[in-house]
Amino acid sequence: MSTYSASKTVALAQSAEEGAALSGRPLSLAFSFPPGGTGVFASLAWVGFGISCLWWPDIGDWTRTHQLAAAAFVMSGAIFLATVAGSRLGRFNAGLQRRAPWLLVSALFLTLWEVATAKFGWLPLPFFPPPQSIIEVYTDDLPKLLDSIIASVKLQLGGYVIGATVGFLTGVSIGWSRSVGYWVHPVLRFIGPLPATAWLPIAFFTFPSSWSASTFLIALATGFPVTVLTWSGVASVSNAYYDVARTLGAKPSFLVLKVAIPAALPHVFVGLFMGLGSSFAVLVVAEMIGVKAGLGWYLQWAQGWAAYANMYAALIVMSLLCSGAITLLFRTRDRLLIWQKGVVKW
Amino acid sequence: MVAHALAEAVTYPAVGASLDVERISHAFDIDGSVLPVLDDVNFSVKPGEFFALLGPSGCGKSTLLRLVAGLEAPRSGVLREDGDPVTGPFPSRVVVFQDPTLFPWRTVWNNVALGLEAQGILKSQRQRVDAALDLVGLSQFRNAYPHQLSGGMAQRVALARALVNDPKILILDEPLGKLDSLTRITMQAEIVALWQRKGFTTLLVTHDVEEALFLANRVIVFGDRPARIKADIAVDRPYPRHRGDPRLAELRRSILGLLGLDATW
């Protein structure tokens, strides 16, 4: 790792971080810097970002430029203090050391963004709003944004839980019982591959509310991959496990609950992951088209008003939520599937 | 010492069950054609006996074990455990398979507890799991997961998982077949010791002549498929046995002769 040039190292920071996380060793990006050196540079970069906010006048009318600069200085100070405090902060310091290259790069990126938009207008307004206008959205439009977040989370959670539960139960039944498989498999083959969004026009007519229609579509998008993967998980359980359990006196219920399902769980989680991905897509489309609430609707509404800063702000929130949901799923999986070796770290 | 060991084996006859194999025939349907695997097999095993089924691979001896375990029903004939017909799997007849087939999602302790849990008696009998783990010397690994174990350790766990049920008949389906030769030698001695201590009837399937002779009281030799009994040999040597015993070497030569493999001996 010490053979990388500095510029390469920056580009490789992400993959290097993943590599270090996998091997469990502390990351040594200290090409030529002393320990903590990257922290100092990161701190300086944040000062630079703060200065870039104040040095040139804004070319537009934004109210949060000074607050943004202040926040950058606070960030810089915090990084500096933490770096100086060093090993006294224990694990926090190790985390900081590992993230220092990222802190440095993000400060550089923010500076570039600030200069290219608010100061010199290299990127055309209003399509590329500066950082302070996004801060402005988060402070001034908070109630509406929060309402949208709550609406989205509620809709997503309801649909996902229903879809995952039904999909799991269907998958186990198909995998376990021949007669259930006989009846359900053709239906699954016919309906499953259809993108859930294709149902949108019909669903909004046939369901009593757009909310229930969207819940149904999200459940459908989640349910299909969960069903198929649970099914294949149950079907691929080695007969040897059943033989062992049967000779030890296991009844059929034990074979399903304590053999088939635990053995199928790794597959089930792949299904849950895929279902999560496709249900996000349905959620946003449903909110844009039918539901008058949620982040998808917020995006649509912001576009109608040409409020591009609001769109970016909503996109950032959406990304954090989706990523957070996947993180939660993977944490749960790591906890339940601790017996597996070599699982991917998210 | 020898006399003592023998006496010990004889003091527990009540624990082991007798096994009667009466006119068993079995066949598989493969792509519409019938493949006979067992042809009118008859023998009976006395309580507490260590009984080995020896034969070339693919001769149907493992199929016979599945029938004894109750995992499959024979096409014709009856199997009796202590006189009662075998109708399905029951924890008094436990199998140790060639692969340990431990459940990878369960710790060692929970794998061993499987039988008691399946029978719904784990809550009141937890100490039996600890005792079984002690018996195979793996108490320290109770919280390990199967992927952390060596092949020999995994097979010991499988043995403990069987023994925790206090079986009357222990069915061993080439349990040492996939282990390295050193571990195999160690575990052969361990199996003999466990058998002597517990007194269960043991049914061992193997294609290793030496192993059969080192472990068993009686060895039945099967010919090629469909399996028919070629010889029924009493191994009249006391335990612990020695691999260099001239009597065992003599028996080995005659068994290899039966299998048509004595040219190199």
Side-chain angles (χ1 to χ4, degrees), chain B residues 75-89:
Chain B
R75 293 272 168 109
S76 69
V78 186
L79 294 148
R80 292 179 194 281
E81 176 191 4
D82 271 345
D84 302 324
V86 169
T87 51

Side-chain angles (χ1 to χ4, degrees), chain A residues 210-267:
Chain A
S210 59
W211 186 83
S212 56
S214 310
T215 304
F216 167 73
L217 293 179
I218 292 169
L220 200 63
T222 309
F224 177 58
V226 174
T227 306
V228 173
L229 277 140
T230 305
W231 168 28
S232 90
V234 171
S236 67
V237 177
S238 160
N239 274 328
Y241 289 144
Y242 296 129
D243 284 349
V244 165
R246 284 172 61 208
T247 61
L248 295 174
K251 293 170 194 65
S253 62
F254 188 92
L255 295 182
V256 177
L257 297 174
K258 300 289 179 101
V259 182
I261 290 177
L265 266 192
H267 281 80

Side-chain angles (χ1 to χ4, degrees), chain A:
Chain A
M1 205 159 282
S2 55
T3 53
Y4 292 156
S5 71
S7 62
K8 258 188 185 168
T9 310
V10 169
L12 285 169
Q14 187 185 12
S15 59
E17 188 179 36
E18 284 164 8
L22 282 177
S23 63
R25 279 184 289 111
L27 179 66
S28 72
L29 273 179
F31 16 102
S32 56
F33 299 151
T38 326
V40 174
F41 279 98
S43 172
L44 286 176
W46 280 88
V47 172
F49 172 50
I51 291 173
S52 78
C53 293
L54 302 175
W55 192 262
W56 297 280
D58 283 347
I59 59 169
D61 184 24
W62 296 293
T63 56
R64 296 280 184 256
T65 311
H66 287 84
Q67 283 91 330
L68 183 61
F73 293 136
V74 169
M75 184 76 180
S76 159
I79 295 171
F80 184 75
L81 285 178
T83 308
V84 172
S87 53
R88 264 162 291 175
L89 291 175
R91 280 184 58 189
F92 178 78
N93 180 57
L96 181 81
Q97 290 276 343
R98 198 149 48 83
R99 291 184 178 82
W102 262 107
L103 288 169
L104 174 70
V105 171
S106 17
L108 294 177
F109 171 74
L110 285 169
T111 311
L112 189 68
W113 179 11
E114 175 71 23
V115 172
T117 53
K119 305 304 180 188
F120 297 105
W122 297 329
L123 294 171
L125 287 169
F127 310 110
F128 296 95
Q132 52 264 51
S133 73
I134 287 172
I135 302 289
E136 217 174 296
V137 174
Y138 287 138
T139 52
D140 298 2
D141 206 21
L142 189 62
K144 193 188 274 168
L145 205 50
L146 273 181
D147 283 349
S148 303
I149 292 171
I150 291 167
S152 281
V153 170
K154 263 165 74 178
L155 188 55
Q156 167 71 24
L157 206 62
Y160 186 72
V161 169
I162 294 171
T165 311
V166 172
F168 176 75
L169 295 176
T170 316
V172 172
S173 320
I174 307 177
W176 189 256
S177 152
R178 244 171 230 277
S179 54
V180 174
Y182 175 82
W183 290 108
V184 179
H185 183 204
V187 179
L188 193 70
R189 279 182 70 172
F190 185 65
I191 293 180
L194 205 60
T197 41
W199 290 86
L200 265 170
I202 295 176
F204 280 123
F205 279 118
T206 47
F207 277 80
S209 64
S210 59
W211 186 83
S212 56
S214 310
T215 304
F216 167 73
L217 293 179
I218 292 169
L220 200 63
T222 309
F224 177 58
V226 174
T227 306
V228 173
L229 277 140
T230 305
W231 168 28
S232 90
V234 171
S236 67
V237 177
S238 160
N239 274 328
Y241 289 144
Y242 296 129
D243 284 349
V244 165
R246 284 172 61 208
T247 61
L248 295 174
K251 293 170 194 65
S253 62
F254 188 92
L255 295 182
V256 177
L257 297 174
K258 300 289 179 101
V259 182
I261 290 177
L265 266 192
H267 281 80
V268 174
F269 271 97
V270 176
L272 287 171
F273 172 69
M274 288 168 61
L276 198 55
S278 51
S279 68
F280 287 150
V282 176
L283 171 75
V284 175
V285 175
E287 285 176 343
M288 282 181 169
I289 293 181
V291 190
K292 292 278 171 277
L295 286 166
W297 167 81
Y298 188 94
L299 274 176
Q300 189 84 342
W301 168 85
Q303 197 212 16
W305 289 96
Y308 292 93
N310 296 55
M311 292 175 63
Y312 286 103
L315 272 181
I316 291 169
V317 170
M318 208 183 264
S319 153
L320 290 176
L321 285 176
C322 293
S323 179
I326 288 177
T327 305
L328 202 65
L329 183 70
F330 276 49
R331 288 275 158 82
T332 314
R333 182 201 62 174
D334 291 349
R335 203 152 250 255
L336 281 174
L337 302 188
I338 195 168
W339 50 274
Q340 273 195 313
K341 39 180 182 176
V343 287
V344 179
K345 289 273 177 278
W346 164 250

Side-chain angles (χ1 to χ4, degrees), chain B residues 14-263:
Chain B
V15 176
S18 68
L19 175 73
D20 298 303
V21 176
E22 297 169 4
R23 314 210 58 179
I24 290 289
S25 296
H26 198 59
F28 291 124
D29 294 318
I30 293 170
D31 294 334
S33 64
V34 178
L35 179 74
V37 268
L38 296 168
D39 181 22
D40 197 21
V41 177
N42 279 291
F43 60 86
S44 55
V45 184
K46 289 197 273 296
E49 215 170 11
F50 200 128
F51 198 89
L53 304 173
L54 191 65
S57 63
C59 75
K61 51 196 193 307
S62 288
T63 305
L64 182 57
L65 280 202
R66 290 181 65 82
L67 301 181
V68 173
L71 290 169
E72 283 172 49
R75 293 272 168 109
S76 69
V78 186
L79 294 148
R80 292 179 194 281
E81 176 191 4
D82 271 345
D84 302 324
V86 169
T87 51
F90 196 76
S92 67
R93 285 169 272 118
V94 185
V95 191
V96 177
F97 294 95
Q98 184 174 20
D99 289 309
T101 43
L102 302 178
F103 291 8
W105 56 90
R106 285 175 170 245
T107 60
V108 165
W109 196 92
N110 281 315
N111 264 292
V112 175
L114 201 65
L116 301 182
E117 194 182 327
Q119 295 154 48
I121 51 171
L122 178 61
K123 282 223 172 86
S124 56
Q125 316 256 314
R126 298 176 67 86
Q127 75 287 351
R128 280 169 70 182
V129 180
D130 300 322
L133 272 174
D134 262 347
L135 207 58
V136 297
L138 285 176
S139 297
Q140 288 180 331
F141 292 88
R142 50 189 291 142
N143 293 323
Y145 281 96
H147 73 82
Q148 298 166 308
L149 304 178
S150 70
M153 283 157 78
Q155 200 53 281
R156 279 194 185 91
V157 176
L159 207 53
R161 180 178 62 185
L163 294 177
V164 76
N165 302 287
D166 285 333
K168 291 186 165 179
I169 301 179
L170 181 67
I171 302 169
L172 303 171
D173 187 3
E174 299 185 37
L176 310 179
K178 286 193 175 169
L179 301 179
D180 65 273
S181 57
L182 296 178
T183 312
R184 188 145 83 208
I185 287 171
T186 319
M187 285 196 67
Q188 284 172 350
E190 283 174 21
I191 287 174
V192 169
L194 284 170
W195 165 68
Q196 288 187 310
R197 214 168 129 185
K198 292 286 184 180
F200 42 70
T201 308
T202 307
L203 201 59
L204 168 76
V205 153
T206 182
H207 51 240
D208 182 337
V209 181
E210 207 167 309
E211 182 170 280
L213 291 172
F214 184 70
L215 295 176
N217 295 133
R218 243 173 98 195
V219 177
I220 276 190
V221 183
F222 280 121
D224 274 329
R225 197 180 52 238
R228 215 173 290 181
I229 296 175
K230 276 196 160 178
D232 186 342
I233 296 163
V235 187
D236 49 353
R237 302 300 291 165
Y239 298 91
R241 290 178 180 164
H242 297 282
R243 283 162 216 278
D245 188 327
R247 171 72 182 135
L248 295 186
E250 202 180 300
L251 285 170
R252 179 177 168 179
R253 187 186 322 194
S254 62
I255 291 173
L256 286 172
L258 284 168
L259 296 170
L261 295 167
D262 54 340

Side-chain angles (χ1 to χ4, degrees), chain B residues 4-17:
Chain B
H4 174 70
L6 259 184
E8 212 177 32
V10 181
T11 34
Y12 292 98
V15 176

